[in-house]
Amino acid sequence: MGNNDNGTPGVSDEEWARFTEQAAQGAGDAPREPSARARMVTARLRAAQGQEPPGWRTGPAPRERRRPTRLKAAAAVVAIAALALIAVRPELVIDRITGRTEAREDAAKAAPLPAESVRPTAAPPSLPPDRPTLQEPFRGSPALQWADGAAGIELPAATPVAGMSAETVADALQKARQFLVASNLDPATLRGERPASAIALLDPRQPDLLKDVEQYLKAPTAQDTPVLLFTRFDPNRVKPVGDVVKVRGSMRAEQGEPGELLVVADYTFVHPVTPATGGPDVQRIIVRRQTTVALLDPARWETTRGRLQLRAYHSEWSNVECEAADGFLHPQFTADLAAGGQPTGPAVDPYDRSREIKDEKACGTVTRS
């Protein structure tokens, strides 16, 4: 190592050659002065953000180049995935922007409703309108918080009624429940088979009723149809979505005529279905039934011990064809709506259990599905 003219230590020829070689190799990584255009854009951005540092007009000082961190790389992957999601399912991104996703998540987390002891006095609150899917058939429906299947038919406490023991009342309530399950939830009944389990609970000593039921099953018409009592779908046209039917309602025992114990039931069943041919189209069929059955004292009435006699029944179906005459409920899928007849009846909220079922033949509209 030599000395400079000013006496400071100099740089040897070998060191100088090594320094020159390293500088040449690192020239590609050296900071570059921004172009005039780049400085102008940078200046505007910083001015807009109030971040103009001293001396900004002369360009930024060289800064150390750093590799992207793992966090930035992960963010890039998320951004790419989001773009793919927009291409495949843009409605999910729209839902997130509009807040529908949060509402849907809140509804899914909500606790199941307590049992309905008496008929409600108002309709359930509205949710953001939403279409059912094969994965979430109850999305956007008040039924999302209802009980599943037979668990939704909870029996009230049995107490003596009009001289009949609590045991007799409990038996009547239990048989009424069995009839509702066999008529509206039994898989064989739903796929259009003869509802044998339900019919077996009816009293053969009420012959006119059983005669009518058999006629409805054998030769149904639009007016005389088994769907007045039983929920039935044509398996060649319809298949269920999943194995859950949502149920909500209540029943009570009360005195009828002497020796007659009545069970008054009011239940709504929500069946998600899709075309038997497949596809993503899902429709919720909402069936409400107000049914009164009687358990009679054999000492006073001509009856078969342990069998039910039917006293009254009122039914209402939503999202189905109005004039089907083959003994099945026919859902109106999206492809069917344009070809269907125009409704003539009033608009009805099918989830509003506070109202009575009106015995009207008019085909109305639903305010939500």
Side-chain angles (χ1 to χ4, degrees):
M1 178 182 297
N3 292 330
N4 294 333
D5 294 341
N6 60 7
T8 58
V11 179
S12 67
D13 293 340
E14 292 80 11
E15 291 174 330
W16 179 257
R18 185 167 59 252
F19 174 80
T20 302
E21 181 181 0
Q22 291 174 350
Q25 292 176 350
D29 291 333
R32 295 182 178 181
E33 176 72 6
S35 66
R37 175 67 176 170
R39 289 198 300 271
M40 181 176 66
V41 173
T42 302
R44 288 177 178 174
L45 291 175
R46 288 181 172 174
Q49 298 175 358
Q51 296 177 350
E52 297 178 4
W56 65 273
R57 295 185 184 278
T58 61
R63 301 178 64 185
E64 179 184 0
R65 291 174 63 103
R66 305 176 68 180
R67 292 183 178 180
T69 64
R70 187 178 301 273
L71 178 61
K72 290 182 180 179
V77 172
V78 172
I80 293 171
L83 291 175
L85 185 61
I86 292 174
V88 176
R89 296 189 66 186
E91 73 276 8
L92 296 186
V93 180
I94 295 172
D95 285 355
R96 179 65 68 180
I97 294 173
T98 59
R100 183 180 294 174
T101 297
E102 287 78 3
R104 182 186 303 152
E105 291 172 351
D106 291 343
K109 295 175 184 177
L113 295 175
E116 188 177 285
S117 56
V118 295
R119 185 189 299 177
T121 57
S126 297
L127 298 174
D130 222 334
R131 290 290 302 166
T133 67
L134 293 171
Q135 294 74 30
E136 299 177 85
F138 300 103
R139 188 171 73 177
S141 164
L144 184 64
Q145 291 180 260
W146 294 6
D148 295 353
I153 308 178
E154 298 188 33
L155 301 182
T159 57
V161 174
M164 295 190 179
S165 67
E167 291 76 11
T168 300
V169 173
D171 183 51
L173 292 170
Q174 185 60 44
K175 283 184 169 60
R177 181 180 188 271
Q178 292 173 3
F179 182 77
L180 290 170
V181 170
S183 301
N184 300 280
L185 298 173
D186 181 75
T189 301
L190 295 179
R191 60 176 174 260
E193 298 179 14
R194 186 176 186 275
S197 298
I199 293 174
L201 292 165
L202 298 177
D203 190 351
R205 303 189 75 170
Q206 192 180 11
D208 291 343
L209 172 69
L210 292 180
K211 180 181 177 181
D212 288 344
V213 168
E214 296 297 342
Q215 180 66 24
Y216 296 168
L217 290 168
K218 181 179 179 181
T221 67
Q223 289 74 36
D224 299 327
T225 171
V227 298
L228 292 170
L229 283 172
F230 313 112
T231 303
R232 310 170 75 236
F233 300 103
D234 183 351
N236 295 318
R237 299 179 59 179
V238 178
K239 63 180 179 181
V241 177
D243 55 3
V244 173
V245 176
K246 291 291 187 176
V247 181
R248 186 156 183 79
S250 62
M251 69 170 66
R252 67 182 187 275
E254 61 184 39
Q255 181 182 2
E257 298 182 32
E260 180 184 47
L261 178 63
L262 300 178
V263 177
V264 181
D266 184 345
Y267 283 87
T268 302
F269 305 83
V270 183
H271 301 261
V273 296
T274 192
T277 54
D281 200 354
V282 177
Q283 184 61 276
R284 290 186 283 252
I285 308 307
I286 307 165
V287 179
R288 185 179 175 194
R289 300 195 184 277
Q290 294 177 328
T291 308
T292 301
V293 295
L295 192 66
L296 303 176
D297 180 0
R300 291 174 172 267
W301 297 83
E302 292 185 2
T303 185
T304 304
R305 184 179 295 275
R307 298 290 187 93
L308 299 175
Q309 293 200 8
L310 193 60
R311 288 292 181 263
Y313 55 93
H314 305 274
S315 302
E316 180 180 85
W317 319 288
S318 299
N319 299 324
V320 299
E321 296 177 8
C322 292
E323 298 299 328
D326 59 358
F328 299 111
L329 294 176
H330 290 288
Q332 283 190 312
F333 296 109
T334 303
D336 304 324
L337 295 178
Q342 294 299 316
T344 59
V348 172
D349 180 355
Y351 295 100
D352 182 3
R353 296 186 31 76
S354 66
R355 59 182 177 81
E356 290 285 348
I357 297 177
K358 295 183 179 180
D359 292 328
E360 296 179 344
K361 298 299 182 181
C363 181
T365 59
V366 294
T367 58
R368 52 179 167 176
S369 61

